[in-house]
Amino acid sequence: MRRFFWPRKLPLSYYLDIDLLDLCAGLFILGTTGSGKSSALRILANWILNHPFHPAYAGLVKDICVLWCCCKVDEADAAERVIAATAKRDYLVRLRPAEFAFNFVVYELTREGGSPASLARLLDRLNTQLNNTSGTAGTNEKFWQGLLFDYLYAAIWVAWLAYGTECTIEHIHDIILTSPANEQQAKSPTFRERSACWQALMRADKNVKTAAEDRALFKAGEFFTVKATNLGDDCRGSGIQSVSSVLAPFLISPIYETVCSPSSKFTPDLLLTGMCCILDFPILIYGQSGMLFQSLVTMMLQEAVLRRKNPNSICLIVRDEFQYLCADPMFESQVASVGRSSLLTQISSTQNIPLLQLACGGDARAETFVHSMLANYRNKLLLANICDRTNRLFSEMFGDFKDQFVSISESHSQPDDPLGQMFSANPFQFSTSESLFPKLPAHQFLTLRRGGPQFNYLIDGYWTVGGQTFANGLPFKKITFSQK
């Protein structure tokens, strides 16, 4: 059986039966803990980084850029070794908290097509991620989601008109948290003197230049001084708490020093020039701050890639432990469905379907989102797994064989005319039946090698490409690769 590694003369596509556009349809890896997911991901990433420069693909693409997200503590080191061993080694940038600046508020508001509404939607998706991971999504989700969007939209307009290109996420946070609780407070001289919300409204009023800005500021002011003050204490408190949950993680050092800067040394557009960026914000160290920042940068990059016209370079996004980095399942599914034409290549991995469903909310909608996402990842590598539900899902996906059985039985009855029965009748009875057997039984996933010294560092997996039948006549084939 062929080893699964990047050979010197032939591209890996020769062994996996895929081409450039197949890669841009996404690649998902599933396998239990210790099954070799991270090893497989790094080998595939190494090959993809060299892919555009192989002679067989000359002229199809000019370059490749990478965004590598990190969940585990040692993942950034491993990612750096992978990129350093490729043709893109000179474009490697390791981004650590507080060592660079990215004012994502100004970037989103000044990019082509950006607006307070687009920034509010991005932050709203982060709220979806927080609700999904904490299990707090409920039946009134749409109401609270709408209220959160209204708070963010109004505050972003006020902050943008008040502070311009010096606006940061801290300004938006302070405007919302110091907004008046009732109409009496809004008219209080003490409140107007001390409230960051009121001071921003007055400052914004002096900076209005167009009728559109004047209308937007009027609506924002009306929301804070009229609509929000009449919501009731409980409703208003819940809305502000939702806002704080999303924005507060960005105000904790060292994430604060990264995002609350008047200028940016990094943007998604800069990454698309050919950089290979490692987001060294491991979630197991920085918690929600690291998770939300990496999810935000990923979504901004995905949108930037999809906005490109006539793209001629690949954008690779790598996310191991995808269950921590899936901000909005619906958005992820939509991106995966159109990423191919924009040369967006995504490698994601997780342990099993139930874990991914739990990270997406854990309800029936989450199950639909998970199936939608997996369906839009055309390439899949299925490693050893002990999850019966995951194994059965892919076993059923590959379909069944139809086998026909023939049974023969001899009649033992005593006829009245033995001599006549001998010459005129058949003493045997025949019957046929059909049975279905899975092409890949679910229990086969339990027998795959998982690497390490126990298995001589060999890892087995089943490789499948949607809509493709391999030389073995099946929609999958078994492959083996080495960790060494």
Side-chain angles (χ1 to χ4, degrees), residues 106-122 269 303 307:
V106 173
Y107 168 78
E108 182 64 24
L109 295 176
T110 56
R111 70 162 177 85
E112 182 181 4
S115 67
S118 66
L119 178 57
R121 281 193 295 270
L122 284 169
D269 293 332
E303 292 187 341
R307 288 194 300 266

Side-chain angles (χ1 to χ4, degrees), residues 232-421:
D233 292 340
D234 292 341
C235 186
R236 178 181 177 275
S238 297
I240 291 181
Q241 180 59 46
S242 297
V243 171
S244 180
S245 298
V246 176
L247 303 187
F250 293 104
L251 305 180
I252 301 174
S253 294
I255 309 296
Y256 175 87
E257 288 77 10
T258 300
V259 301
C260 292
S261 171
S263 60
S264 297
K265 294 183 179 180
F266 164 84
T267 65
D269 293 332
L270 182 62
L271 189 151
L272 288 176
T273 60
M275 294 173 59
C276 294
C277 294
I278 301 172
L279 287 180
D280 192 1
F281 290 70
I283 297 173
L284 299 183
I285 292 180
Y286 298 106
Q288 285 187 346
S289 298
M291 178 184 73
L292 294 183
F293 180 76
Q294 292 189 83
S295 295
L296 182 71
V297 173
T298 300
M299 289 189 294
M300 286 184 156
L301 178 61
Q302 288 170 329
E303 292 187 341
V305 173
L306 298 181
R307 288 194 300 266
R308 296 188 300 175
K309 299 178 181 178
N310 302 318
N312 56 11
S313 63
I314 295 174
C315 178
L316 172 63
I317 298 177
V318 181
R319 287 175 289 181
D320 198 0
E321 305 297 343
F322 183 69
Q323 69 273 13
Y324 287 100
L325 297 163
C326 178
D328 185 346
M330 180 177 291
F331 177 74
E332 286 289 343
S333 181
Q334 292 170 344
V335 169
S337 67
V338 297
R340 182 174 181 268
S341 59
S342 299
L343 298 183
L344 173 61
T345 302
Q346 301 187 98
I347 304 181
S348 305
S349 72
T350 193
Q351 280 77 17
N352 52 63
I353 301 298
L355 179 62
L356 189 56
Q357 182 177 338
L358 185 63
C360 294
D363 54 9
R365 290 183 65 212
E367 183 177 6
T368 302
F369 288 144
V370 168
H371 285 286
S372 177
M373 279 192 296
L374 290 177
N376 287 325
Y377 276 79
R378 188 182 177 199
N379 309 285
K380 297 180 183 67
L381 179 61
L382 310 174
L383 304 177
N385 216 316
I386 59 174
C387 175
D388 181 69
R389 182 179 167 191
T390 302
N391 296 342
R392 289 184 180 277
L393 173 68
F394 288 102
S395 177
E396 293 172 1
M397 183 187 76
F398 292 136
D400 300 318
F401 285 119
K402 182 184 291 186
D403 283 350
Q404 189 174 60
F405 295 88
V406 177
S407 60
I408 304 175
S409 61
E410 183 178 2
S411 176
H412 295 283
S413 61
Q414 298 295 327
D416 296 335
D417 184 8
L419 185 61
Q421 181 74 9

